[in-house]
Amino acid sequence: MDDRINQIRKMIEEGKAAAGIELGSTRIKTVLIDENHVPVASGSYDWENRFENHIWTYSLEDIWTGLKNSYADMVRDVKEKYEIGITRLAAIGFSAMMHGYLAFDKEDRLLVPFRTWRNTITGQAADELTQLFQYNIPQRWSIAFLYQSILNEEDHVKDIAYFTTLSGYIHWRLTGKKVLGIGDASGMFPIDVKKKDFDDSMIEQFDRLVETKGYPWKLREIMPQVLTAGDEAGVLTEEGVRLLDASGELEAGIPVCPPEGDAGTGMVATNSVAKRTGNVSAGTSVFAMIVLEKELEKLHTEIDMVTTPSGSLVAMAHANNCTSDLNAWVSLFREYSEMMGLKVDANDVYGALYNKALEGDADCGGLLSYGYYSGENIIPIDEGRPIFIRTPESRFNLANFMRTNLYASLGALKIGMDILVKDEKIRIDKIYGHGGLFKTPVVGQRIMAAAMQAPVSVMETAGEGGAWGIALLAAYMVHKKEGESLETYLADRVFNQNSGKELKPDPKDMEGFEVFIERFKEGLAIEQSAISHI
């Protein structure tokens, strides 16, 4: 074995490694990091939600089978690379997709199947609570699921002793602690960022709203305790170890950091937790999260309000559609190439077409596209109809065609970001980009910078994802110095050698995108008509 492998082996043997596990919507990933926060082993387990009785769900058996298998896959990786097992860890953390609804009675029995963030069955509750609180409550938030259950007069509500998110549930079973990291908590119920806790005045409003129902609980009594990054959140119990480690080698007593949501761990993994920074994830869907300096002036139902794991306020613009239509067009060109007898690699096709887009007119030459496969929240459509539109006067060539589709993939996001930048006058110093749009160097980064009107940086480590992010939060809990903030810890100890490759927005690109987005907004009636007639 070389020196590096010997060093890692010794570090693992001495219990100095930290681990993070994140339960995403299609994959459960486990990452082990060394004392320098570098991933040294990983494991994963693929899973899929089920649509049962009109509910998107995962069973409790799915959850524990997946968690155990993902951890075991990481342990296998360690044994193959370093010829050693894992008995001790410096710390561990658990994160999962945010929102949703897991409700339990006083005997700790699940009252109804887990309702995930993907469900859109809480429209009435979300609208009524948004008006009551004058604070945007999206359908996927836990409080919307609870209140919709009340509106539906579901029998289980009277028996609730505790309700939480997926990460909160896992942490509770593994540690016995009913706690939640503030980032994940901010997707359950609005947060008072000064107190770093659920908003007391809104809790009182909710209790008054439902008091005629005569339930034996008050809202605060059935919610988890809110913790911030760096807080101690319990240790793995003997029962917890049995649920996590099938080998039985892992020892109990390992410190566990506050459980977090995937939005928060994404911010940590991209070093975008400081004020006036943000991150944008662009793939099948796209969302931007910007850390704010102050509260927004107005209520905007297009914008979700959450927090960083340390409790700073974050505005999120989220669009359901991004690269699906782009991918479809690239596949069409690849099919044509193969028909003409050319053997081409998919990455080469993407690279050639994306780079061709940079030769196009900054305003796309009068072309227009809506790459919508599904409905959107930011713009008023309930379904999707992919459409490409031009006039006889449009400058229709390959460069403008590809540039149009790239711009259009960010159309809804751009409208959401304009609410923040133009209406609310927020300031952004830097955006960190990750996801498939950035796979071709420079192109997606340049288009995104024009849309966001801010410098965009892409880091190689962003691909490590939320499992790395929660492992970093676990390491922060045990290694931070007195008074050392999460922002400082990440900047000085994790990302000090990796600030990413930055690209500033080109003024001509920004000007062209502004012309395009006005055309895009004017043409939305075409998309709405297509939904009605096709």
Side-chain angles (χ1 to χ4, degrees), residues 94-95 98 162 164-165 167-169 171 177-189 191 196-198 224-233 257-262 264-265 306-311 470 473:
F94 303 92
S95 63
M98 288 177 68
Y162 183 52
T164 188
T165 65
S167 81
Y169 165 64
H171 185 97
K177 302 290 185 181
K178 293 180 177 179
V179 301
L180 198 59
I182 194 168
D184 206 0
S186 70
M188 280 194 78
F189 192 87
I191 294 290
K196 310 291 187 195
D197 199 356
F198 293 125
Q225 177 190 356
V226 178
L227 300 177
T228 56
D231 287 345
E232 294 178 1
C257 70
E260 265 300 346
D262 51 358
T265 57
V306 290
T307 78
T308 69
S310 50
I470 192 66
L473 288 171

mmCIF file of all heavy atoms in Angstrom, residues 94-95 98 162 164-165 167-169 171 177-189 191 196-198 224-233 257-262 264-265 306-311 470 473:
data_model
loop_
_atom_site.group_PDB
_atom_site.id
_atom_site.type_symbol
_atom_site.label_atom_id
_atom_site.label_comp_id
_atom_site.label_asym_id
_atom_site.label_seq_id
_atom_site.Cartn_x
_atom_site.Cartn_y
_atom_site.Cartn_z
ATOM 1 N N PHE A 94 -27.316 12.744 8.927
ATOM 2 C CA PHE A 94 -28.322 12.209 8.010
ATOM 3 C C PHE A 94 -29.125 13.355 7.412
ATOM 4 O O PHE A 94 -29.559 14.264 8.122
ATOM 5 C CB PHE A 94 -29.265 11.241 8.749
ATOM 6 C CG PHE A 94 -28.525 10.109 9.404
ATOM 7 C CD1 PHE A 94 -28.093 10.210 10.719
ATOM 8 C CD2 PHE A 94 -28.213 8.960 8.690
ATOM 9 C CE1 PHE A 94 -27.369 9.183 11.329
ATOM 10 C CE2 PHE A 94 -27.492 7.929 9.280
ATOM 11 C CZ PHE A 94 -27.072 8.043 10.597
ATOM 12 N N SER A 95 -29.299 13.300 6.109
ATOM 13 C CA SER A 95 -30.123 14.292 5.433
ATOM 14 C C SER A 95 -31.045 13.582 4.455
ATOM 15 O O SER A 95 -30.842 12.412 4.128
ATOM 16 C CB SER A 95 -29.258 15.335 4.716
ATOM 17 O OG SER A 95 -28.479 14.734 3.703
ATOM 18 N N MET A 98 -36.453 17.292 1.364
ATOM 19 C CA MET A 98 -37.187 18.111 2.335
ATOM 20 C C MET A 98 -38.701 17.906 2.252
ATOM 21 O O MET A 98 -39.201 17.228 1.373
ATOM 22 C CB MET A 98 -36.866 19.590 2.107
ATOM 23 C CG MET A 98 -35.464 19.977 2.549
ATOM 24 S SD MET A 98 -35.091 21.700 2.202
ATOM 25 C CE MET A 98 -36.192 22.555 3.324
ATOM 26 N N TYR A 162 -46.565 13.286 17.221
ATOM 27 C CA TYR A 162 -45.328 13.830 16.646
ATOM 28 C C TYR A 162 -45.429 13.761 15.132
ATOM 29 O O TYR A 162 -45.900 12.764 14.575
ATOM 30 C CB TYR A 162 -44.128 13.010 17.128
ATOM 31 C CG TYR A 162 -42.770 13.497 16.659
ATOM 32 C CD1 TYR A 162 -42.380 14.822 16.833
ATOM 33 C CD2 TYR A 162 -41.862 12.628 16.063
ATOM 34 C CE1 TYR A 162 -41.132 15.266 16.423
ATOM 35 C CE2 TYR A 162 -40.594 13.065 15.653
ATOM 36 C CZ TYR A 162 -40.238 14.381 15.834
ATOM 37 O OH TYR A 162 -39.005 14.820 15.425
ATOM 38 N N THR A 164 -42.972 14.936 11.521
ATOM 39 C CA THR A 164 -41.641 15.392 11.156
ATOM 40 C C THR A 164 -41.383 15.106 9.682
ATOM 41 O O THR A 164 -42.266 14.648 8.957
ATOM 42 C CB THR A 164 -40.585 14.726 12.063
ATOM 43 O OG1 THR A 164 -39.298 15.318 11.817
ATOM 44 C CG2 THR A 164 -40.499 13.227 11.824
ATOM 45 N N THR A 165 -40.165 15.404 9.248
ATOM 46 C CA THR A 165 -39.722 15.127 7.875
ATOM 47 C C THR A 165 -38.982 13.792 7.853
ATOM 48 O O THR A 165 -38.758 13.157 8.893
ATOM 49 C CB THR A 165 -38.775 16.222 7.383
ATOM 50 O OG1 THR A 165 -37.584 16.179 8.197
ATOM 51 C CG2 THR A 165 -39.404 17.603 7.488
ATOM 52 N N SER A 167 -35.739 13.196 7.186
ATOM 53 C CA SER A 167 -34.463 13.223 7.924
ATOM 54 C C SER A 167 -34.707 13.241 9.426
ATOM 55 O O SER A 167 -33.982 12.618 10.203
ATOM 56 C CB SER A 167 -33.601 14.428 7.504
ATOM 57 O OG SER A 167 -33.998 15.615 8.144
ATOM 58 N N GLY A 168 -35.750 13.961 9.849
ATOM 59 C CA GLY A 168 -36.079 14.006 11.274
ATOM 60 C C GLY A 168 -36.502 12.655 11.803
ATOM 61 O O GLY A 168 -36.164 12.280 12.939
ATOM 62 N N TYR A 169 -37.239 11.899 10.983
ATOM 63 C CA TYR A 169 -37.664 10.552 11.381
ATOM 64 C C TYR A 169 -36.462 9.626 11.552
ATOM 65 O O TYR A 169 -36.344 8.914 12.570
ATOM 66 C CB TYR A 169 -38.624 9.986 10.339
ATOM 67 C CG TYR A 169 -38.852 8.494 10.454
ATOM 68 C CD1 TYR A 169 -39.463 7.939 11.580
ATOM 69 C CD2 TYR A 169 -38.424 7.629 9.445
ATOM 70 C CE1 TYR A 169 -39.670 6.572 11.693
ATOM 71 C CE2 TYR A 169 -38.619 6.258 9.551
ATOM 72 C CZ TYR A 169 -39.234 5.732 10.669
ATOM 73 O OH TYR A 169 -39.423 4.379 10.783
ATOM 74 N N HIS A 171 -33.307 10.389 12.087
ATOM 75 C CA HIS A 171 -32.500 10.828 13.234
ATOM 76 C C HIS A 171 -33.146 10.400 14.551
ATOM 77 O O HIS A 171 -32.455 9.928 15.467
ATOM 78 C CB HIS A 171 -32.346 12.351 13.189
ATOM 79 C CG HIS A 171 -31.439 12.894 14.238
ATOM 80 N ND1 HIS A 171 -30.111 13.178 13.995
ATOM 81 C CD2 HIS A 171 -31.652 13.196 15.545
ATOM 82 C CE1 HIS A 171 -29.556 13.646 15.105
ATOM 83 N NE2 HIS A 171 -30.474 13.670 16.061
ATOM 84 N N LYS A 177 -33.713 11.232 19.620
ATOM 85 C CA LYS A 177 -33.918 12.671 19.760
ATOM 86 C C LYS A 177 -34.893 13.199 18.710
ATOM 87 O O LYS A 177 -34.699 13.003 17.518
ATOM 88 C CB LYS A 177 -32.583 13.419 19.621
ATOM 89 C CG LYS A 177 -31.517 13.009 20.621
ATOM 90 C CD LYS A 177 -31.862 13.476 22.024
ATOM 91 C CE LYS A 177 -30.721 13.176 23.004
ATOM 92 N NZ LYS A 177 -31.058 13.594 24.372
ATOM 93 N N LYS A 178 -35.934 13.897 19.163
ATOM 94 C CA LYS A 178 -36.916 14.490 18.252
ATOM 95 C C LYS A 178 -36.486 15.926 17.918
ATOM 96 O O LYS A 178 -37.023 16.901 18.440
ATOM 97 C CB LYS A 178 -38.302 14.473 18.890
ATOM 98 C CG LYS A 178 -38.853 13.065 19.069
ATOM 99 C CD LYS A 178 -40.238 13.096 19.703
ATOM 100 C CE LYS A 178 -40.831 11.699 19.811
ATOM 101 N NZ LYS A 178 -42.165 11.695 20.446
ATOM 102 N N VAL A 179 -35.494 16.012 17.047
ATOM 103 C CA VAL A 179 -34.915 17.311 16.679
ATOM 104 C C VAL A 179 -34.856 17.416 15.160
ATOM 105 O O VAL A 179 -35.011 16.430 14.442
ATOM 106 C CB VAL A 179 -33.509 17.482 17.277
ATOM 107 C CG1 VAL A 179 -33.543 17.382 18.793
ATOM 108 C CG2 VAL A 179 -32.531 16.446 16.702
ATOM 109 N N LEU A 180 -34.590 18.631 14.671
ATOM 110 C CA LEU A 180 -34.474 18.860 13.231
ATOM 111 C C LEU A 180 -33.571 20.060 12.990
ATOM 112 O O LEU A 180 -33.673 21.075 13.685
ATOM 113 C CB LEU A 180 -35.856 19.124 12.628
ATOM 114 C CG LEU A 180 -36.009 18.964 11.117
ATOM 115 C CD1 LEU A 180 -35.645 17.559 10.668
ATOM 116 C CD2 LEU A 180 -37.423 19.310 10.684
ATOM 117 N N GLY A 181 -32.671 19.930 12.016
ATOM 118 C CA GLY A 181 -31.850 21.063 11.616
ATOM 119 C C GLY A 181 -32.721 22.175 11.059
ATOM 120 O O GLY A 181 -33.752 21.927 10.421
ATOM 121 N N ILE A 182 -32.318 23.409 11.264
ATOM 122 C CA ILE A 182 -33.173 24.546 10.940
ATOM 123 C C ILE A 182 -33.485 24.655 9.448
ATOM 124 O O ILE A 182 -34.560 25.109 9.054
ATOM 125 C CB ILE A 182 -32.551 25.858 11.482
ATOM 126 C CG1 ILE A 182 -33.582 26.988 11.453
ATOM 127 C CG2 ILE A 182 -31.277 26.218 10.711
ATOM 128 C CD1 ILE A 182 -33.143 28.223 12.229
ATOM 129 N N GLY A 183 -32.551 24.199 8.597
ATOM 130 C CA GLY A 183 -32.817 24.241 7.164
ATOM 131 C C GLY A 183 -33.977 23.344 6.790
ATOM 132 O O GLY A 183 -34.866 23.732 6.026
ATOM 133 N N ASP A 184 -33.985 22.118 7.314
ATOM 134 C CA ASP A 184 -35.088 21.195 7.053
ATOM 135 C C ASP A 184 -36.357 21.673 7.758
ATOM 136 O O ASP A 184 -37.465 21.580 7.216
ATOM 137 C CB ASP A 184 -34.714 19.783 7.518
ATOM 138 C CG ASP A 184 -35.467 18.699 6.744
ATOM 139 O OD1 ASP A 184 -36.266 19.042 5.859
ATOM 140 O OD2 ASP A 184 -35.245 17.514 7.034
ATOM 141 N N ALA A 185 -36.207 22.213 8.962
ATOM 142 C CA ALA A 185 -37.359 22.730 9.708
ATOM 143 C C ALA A 185 -38.044 23.858 8.939
ATOM 144 O O ALA A 185 -39.269 24.012 9.006
ATOM 145 C CB ALA A 185 -36.919 23.219 11.086
ATOM 146 N N SER A 186 -37.270 24.634 8.185
ATOM 147 C CA SER A 186 -37.845 25.757 7.433
ATOM 148 C C SER A 186 -38.725 25.285 6.284
ATOM 149 O O SER A 186 -39.431 26.092 5.677
ATOM 150 C CB SER A 186 -36.729 26.670 6.902
ATOM 151 O OG SER A 186 -35.991 26.037 5.873
ATOM 152 N N GLY A 187 -38.706 23.988 5.974
ATOM 153 C CA GLY A 187 -39.614 23.409 4.995
ATOM 154 C C GLY A 187 -40.793 22.709 5.649
ATOM 155 O O GLY A 187 -41.636 22.128 4.970
ATOM 156 N N MET A 188 -40.830 22.759 6.974
ATOM 157 C CA MET A 188 -42.002 22.278 7.725
ATOM 158 C C MET A 188 -42.952 23.424 8.016
ATOM 159 O O MET A 188 -44.156 23.337 7.796
ATOM 160 C CB MET A 188 -41.571 21.673 9.076
ATOM 161 C CG MET A 188 -41.039 20.269 9.033
ATOM 162 S SD MET A 188 -40.966 19.560 10.725
ATOM 163 C CE MET A 188 -42.681 19.122 11.009
ATOM 164 N N PHE A 189 -42.370 24.534 8.519
ATOM 165 C CA PHE A 189 -43.153 25.643 9.045
ATOM 166 C C PHE A 189 -42.266 26.891 9.012
ATOM 167 O O PHE A 189 -41.046 26.781 9.137
ATOM 168 C CB PHE A 189 -43.583 25.321 10.486
ATOM 169 C CG PHE A 189 -44.617 26.246 11.055
ATOM 170 C CD1 PHE A 189 -45.965 25.991 10.840
ATOM 171 C CD2 PHE A 189 -44.263 27.362 11.792
ATOM 172 C CE1 PHE A 189 -46.933 26.835 11.368
ATOM 173 C CE2 PHE A 189 -45.209 28.219 12.319
ATOM 174 C CZ PHE A 189 -46.562 27.954 12.107
ATOM 175 N N ILE A 191 -39.932 30.028 9.777
ATOM 176 C CA ILE A 191 -38.907 30.209 10.810
ATOM 177 C C ILE A 191 -38.770 31.679 11.185
ATOM 178 O O ILE A 191 -38.820 32.560 10.319
ATOM 179 C CB ILE A 191 -37.542 29.688 10.286
ATOM 180 C CG1 ILE A 191 -37.582 28.171 10.084
ATOM 181 C CG2 ILE A 191 -36.402 30.089 11.214
ATOM 182 C CD1 ILE A 191 -37.649 27.350 11.345
ATOM 183 N N LYS A 196 -34.082 31.803 15.601
ATOM 184 C CA LYS A 196 -33.636 30.498 15.070
ATOM 185 C C LYS A 196 -34.574 29.379 15.517
ATOM 186 O O LYS A 196 -34.167 28.327 16.010
ATOM 187 C CB LYS A 196 -32.195 30.175 15.527
ATOM 188 C CG LYS A 196 -31.173 31.277 15.305
ATOM 189 C CD LYS A 196 -30.885 31.503 13.850
ATOM 190 C CE LYS A 196 -29.731 32.490 13.666
ATOM 191 N NZ LYS A 196 -29.631 33.022 12.308
ATOM 192 N N ASP A 197 -35.859 29.624 15.345
ATOM 193 C CA ASP A 197 -36.865 28.652 15.787
ATOM 194 C C ASP A 197 -38.130 28.874 14.956
ATOM 195 O O ASP A 197 -38.253 29.867 14.239
ATOM 196 C CB ASP A 197 -37.160 28.857 17.282
ATOM 197 C CG ASP A 197 -37.823 27.642 17.928
ATOM 198 O OD1 ASP A 197 -38.131 26.666 17.205
ATOM 199 O OD2 ASP A 197 -38.054 27.684 19.151
ATOM 200 N N PHE A 198 -39.085 27.944 15.076
ATOM 201 C CA PHE A 198 -40.373 28.150 14.430
ATOM 202 C C PHE A 198 -40.979 29.473 14.906
ATOM 203 O O PHE A 198 -40.779 29.895 16.049
ATOM 204 C CB PHE A 198 -41.328 27.001 14.767
ATOM 205 C CG PHE A 198 -40.921 25.666 14.196
ATOM 206 C CD1 PHE A 198 -40.761 24.558 15.022
ATOM 207 C CD2 PHE A 198 -40.697 25.508 12.837
ATOM 208 C CE1 PHE A 198 -40.404 23.321 14.501
ATOM 209 C CE2 PHE A 198 -40.332 24.274 12.298
ATOM 210 C CZ PHE A 198 -40.181 23.176 13.134
ATOM 211 N N PRO A 224 -40.791 18.867 16.003
ATOM 212 C CA PRO A 224 -39.440 18.658 16.542
ATOM 213 C C PRO A 224 -38.827 19.941 17.102
ATOM 214 O O PRO A 224 -39.268 21.049 16.773
ATOM 215 C CB PRO A 224 -38.648 18.170 15.314
ATOM 216 C CG PRO A 224 -39.408 18.668 14.130
ATOM 217 C CD PRO A 224 -40.838 18.704 14.535
ATOM 218 N N GLN A 225 -37.809 19.761 17.929
ATOM 219 C CA GLN A 225 -37.016 20.888 18.420
ATOM 220 C C GLN A 225 -36.072 21.331 17.308
ATOM 221 O O GLN A 225 -35.449 20.502 16.645
ATOM 222 C CB GLN A 225 -36.204 20.473 19.654
ATOM 223 C CG GLN A 225 -35.296 21.569 20.194
ATOM 224 C CD GLN A 225 -34.326 21.053 21.252
ATOM 225 O OE1 GLN A 225 -34.384 19.887 21.645
ATOM 226 N NE2 GLN A 225 -33.415 21.904 21.688
ATOM 227 N N VAL A 226 -35.958 22.638 17.094
ATOM 228 C CA VAL A 226 -35.118 23.174 16.014
ATOM 229 C C VAL A 226 -33.691 23.398 16.513
ATOM 230 O O VAL A 226 -33.476 24.030 17.551
ATOM 231 C CB VAL A 226 -35.706 24.495 15.478
ATOM 232 C CG1 VAL A 226 -34.800 25.087 14.393
ATOM 233 C CG2 VAL A 226 -37.110 24.273 14.928
ATOM 234 N N LEU A 227 -32.719 22.872 15.761
ATOM 235 C CA LEU A 227 -31.300 23.055 16.064
ATOM 236 C C LEU A 227 -30.596 23.702 14.866
ATOM 237 O O LEU A 227 -31.089 23.624 13.739
ATOM 238 C CB LEU A 227 -30.628 21.708 16.370
ATOM 239 C CG LEU A 227 -31.180 20.908 17.557
ATOM 240 C CD1 LEU A 227 -30.461 19.574 17.671
ATOM 241 C CD2 LEU A 227 -31.059 21.697 18.848
ATOM 242 N N THR A 228 -29.457 24.329 15.129
ATOM 243 C CA THR A 228 -28.682 24.924 14.039
ATOM 244 C C THR A 228 -27.360 24.167 13.871
ATOM 245 O O THR A 228 -26.953 23.388 14.740
ATOM 246 C CB THR A 228 -28.393 26.409 14.296
ATOM 247 O OG1 THR A 228 -27.726 26.554 15.554
ATOM 248 C CG2 THR A 228 -29.674 27.221 14.310
ATOM 249 N N ALA A 229 -26.688 24.403 12.740
ATOM 250 C CA ALA A 229 -25.427 23.726 12.441
ATOM 251 C C ALA A 229 -24.441 23.904 13.591
ATOM 252 O O ALA A 229 -24.293 24.997 14.136
ATOM 253 C CB ALA A 229 -24.828 24.285 11.150
ATOM 254 N N GLY A 230 -23.796 22.827 13.966
ATOM 255 C CA GLY A 230 -22.828 22.850 15.060
ATOM 256 C C GLY A 230 -23.396 22.408 16.391
ATOM 257 O O GLY A 230 -22.644 22.026 17.294
ATOM 258 N N ASP A 231 -24.736 22.455 16.538
ATOM 259 C CA ASP A 231 -25.353 21.988 17.787
ATOM 260 C C ASP A 231 -25.176 20.478 17.932
ATOM 261 O O ASP A 231 -25.179 19.738 16.952
ATOM 262 C CB ASP A 231 -26.856 22.293 17.797
ATOM 263 C CG ASP A 231 -27.164 23.766 17.998
ATOM 264 O OD1 ASP A 231 -26.257 24.510 18.413
ATOM 265 O OD2 ASP A 231 -28.312 24.171 17.728
ATOM 266 N N GLU A 232 -25.045 20.029 19.180
ATOM 267 C CA GLU A 232 -25.023 18.589 19.438
ATOM 268 C C GLU A 232 -26.458 18.070 19.343
ATOM 269 O O GLU A 232 -27.384 18.671 19.888
ATOM 270 C CB GLU A 232 -24.439 18.310 20.823
ATOM 271 C CG GLU A 232 -22.966 18.695 20.927
ATOM 272 C CD GLU A 232 -22.397 18.458 22.320
ATOM 273 O OE1 GLU A 232 -23.161 17.974 23.201
ATOM 274 O OE2 GLU A 232 -21.220 18.754 22.534
ATOM 275 N N ALA A 233 -26.618 16.943 18.655
ATOM 276 C CA ALA A 233 -27.976 16.449 18.384
ATOM 277 C C ALA A 233 -28.151 15.007 18.822
ATOM 278 O O ALA A 233 -29.026 14.303 18.311
ATOM 279 C CB ALA A 233 -28.295 16.605 16.906
ATOM 280 N N CYS A 257 -24.888 14.910 14.041
ATOM 281 C CA CYS A 257 -25.217 16.332 13.865
ATOM 282 C C CYS A 257 -26.717 16.493 13.593
ATOM 283 O O CYS A 257 -27.410 15.516 13.298
ATOM 284 C CB CYS A 257 -24.392 16.943 12.736
ATOM 285 S SG CYS A 257 -24.829 16.382 11.074
ATOM 286 N N PRO A 258 -27.253 17.699 13.683
ATOM 287 C CA PRO A 258 -28.673 17.898 13.397
ATOM 288 C C PRO A 258 -29.029 17.407 11.993
ATOM 289 O O PRO A 258 -28.284 17.662 11.042
ATOM 290 C CB PRO A 258 -28.846 19.418 13.515
ATOM 291 C CG PRO A 258 -27.770 19.851 14.464
ATOM 292 C CD PRO A 258 -26.605 18.955 14.160
ATOM 293 N N PRO A 259 -30.139 16.694 11.845
ATOM 294 C CA PRO A 259 -30.536 16.205 10.523
ATOM 295 C C PRO A 259 -30.948 17.379 9.634
ATOM 296 O O PRO A 259 -31.546 18.343 10.106
ATOM 297 C CB PRO A 259 -31.726 15.300 10.828
ATOM 298 C CG PRO A 259 -32.300 15.825 12.107
ATOM 299 C CD PRO A 259 -31.136 16.348 12.890
ATOM 300 N N GLU A 260 -30.609 17.281 8.358
ATOM 301 C CA GLU A 260 -30.869 18.403 7.453
ATOM 302 C C GLU A 260 -31.594 17.968 6.185
ATOM 303 O O GLU A 260 -31.651 16.785 5.864
ATOM 304 C CB GLU A 260 -29.563 19.111 7.080
ATOM 305 C CG GLU A 260 -29.258 20.314 7.944
ATOM 306 C CD GLU A 260 -30.339 21.401 7.874
ATOM 307 O OE1 GLU A 260 -31.201 21.362 6.981
ATOM 308 O OE2 GLU A 260 -30.334 22.282 8.745
ATOM 309 N N GLY A 261 -32.115 18.944 5.465
ATOM 310 C CA GLY A 261 -32.762 18.713 4.188
ATOM 311 C C GLY A 261 -31.784 18.838 3.044
ATOM 312 O O GLY A 261 -30.683 19.382 3.195
ATOM 313 N N ASP A 262 -32.187 18.358 1.869
ATOM 314 C CA ASP A 262 -31.268 18.351 0.734
ATOM 315 C C ASP A 262 -30.942 19.756 0.230
ATOM 316 O O ASP A 262 -29.880 19.973 -0.351
ATOM 317 C CB ASP A 262 -31.804 17.477 -0.404
ATOM 318 C CG ASP A 262 -33.241 17.807 -0.806
ATOM 319 O OD1 ASP A 262 -33.858 18.690 -0.197
ATOM 320 O OD2 ASP A 262 -33.739 17.162 -1.744
ATOM 321 N N GLY A 264 -30.351 22.396 2.190
ATOM 322 C CA GLY A 264 -29.277 22.864 3.059
ATOM 323 C C GLY A 264 -27.947 22.190 2.781
ATOM 324 O O GLY A 264 -26.893 22.835 2.756
ATOM 325 N N THR A 265 -27.980 20.876 2.560
ATOM 326 C CA THR A 265 -26.725 20.176 2.289
ATOM 327 C C THR A 265 -26.174 20.564 0.922
ATOM 328 O O THR A 265 -24.966 20.587 0.726
ATOM 329 C CB THR A 265 -26.909 18.649 2.368
ATOM 330 O OG1 THR A 265 -27.932 18.239 1.454
ATOM 331 C CG2 THR A 265 -27.279 18.223 3.777
ATOM 332 N N VAL A 306 -36.737 29.666 2.827
ATOM 333 C CA VAL A 306 -36.182 28.638 3.711
ATOM 334 C C VAL A 306 -34.944 29.233 4.400
ATOM 335 O O VAL A 306 -34.769 30.443 4.410
ATOM 336 C CB VAL A 306 -35.835 27.345 2.919
ATOM 337 C CG1 VAL A 306 -37.113 26.650 2.464
ATOM 338 C CG2 VAL A 306 -34.938 27.633 1.723
ATOM 339 N N THR A 307 -34.101 28.388 5.000
ATOM 340 C CA THR A 307 -32.884 28.915 5.635
ATOM 341 C C THR A 307 -31.686 28.028 5.334
ATOM 342 O O THR A 307 -31.837 26.882 4.910
ATOM 343 C CB THR A 307 -33.010 29.015 7.179
ATOM 344 O OG1 THR A 307 -32.839 27.711 7.755
ATOM 345 C CG2 THR A 307 -34.335 29.608 7.613
ATOM 346 N N THR A 308 -30.508 28.572 5.585
ATOM 347 C CA THR A 308 -29.282 27.774 5.569
ATOM 348 C C THR A 308 -29.255 26.907 6.832
ATOM 349 O O THR A 308 -30.024 27.136 7.766
ATOM 350 C CB THR A 308 -28.035 28.672 5.571
ATOM 351 O OG1 THR A 308 -27.946 29.330 6.851
ATOM 352 C CG2 THR A 308 -28.074 29.715 4.469
ATOM 353 N N PRO A 309 -28.359 25.911 6.910
ATOM 354 C CA PRO A 309 -28.262 25.114 8.141
ATOM 355 C C PRO A 309 -27.860 25.917 9.380
ATOM 356 O O PRO A 309 -28.031 25.446 10.498
ATOM 357 C CB PRO A 309 -27.183 24.075 7.788
ATOM 358 C CG PRO A 309 -27.291 23.922 6.305
ATOM 359 C CD PRO A 309 -27.565 25.314 5.810
ATOM 360 N N SER A 310 -27.328 27.130 9.176
ATOM 361 C CA SER A 310 -27.006 27.969 10.330
ATOM 362 C C SER A 310 -28.092 28.997 10.614
ATOM 363 O O SER A 310 -27.977 29.791 11.538
ATOM 364 C CB SER A 310 -25.652 28.672 10.127
ATOM 365 O OG SER A 310 -25.595 29.304 8.865
ATOM 366 N N GLY A 311 -29.168 29.000 9.803
ATOM 367 C CA GLY A 311 -30.329 29.821 10.123
ATOM 368 C C GLY A 311 -30.451 31.133 9.388
ATOM 369 O O GLY A 311 -31.309 31.946 9.722
ATOM 370 N N ILE A 470 -23.738 16.834 4.177
ATOM 371 C CA ILE A 470 -24.101 16.460 5.550
ATOM 372 C C ILE A 470 -22.894 15.889 6.290
ATOM 373 O O ILE A 470 -22.761 16.065 7.510
ATOM 374 C CB ILE A 470 -25.310 15.493 5.587
ATOM 375 C CG1 ILE A 470 -25.866 15.334 7.020
ATOM 376 C CG2 ILE A 470 -25.001 14.152 4.976
ATOM 377 C CD1 ILE A 470 -26.486 16.570 7.602
ATOM 378 N N LEU A 473 -21.192 18.874 7.618
ATOM 379 C CA LEU A 473 -21.883 19.383 8.810
ATOM 380 C C LEU A 473 -21.567 18.546 10.037
ATOM 381 O O LEU A 473 -21.436 19.081 11.148
ATOM 382 C CB LEU A 473 -23.392 19.420 8.563
ATOM 383 C CG LEU A 473 -23.890 20.510 7.608
ATOM 384 C CD1 LEU A 473 -25.357 20.308 7.264
ATOM 385 C CD2 LEU A 473 -23.669 21.900 8.215
#
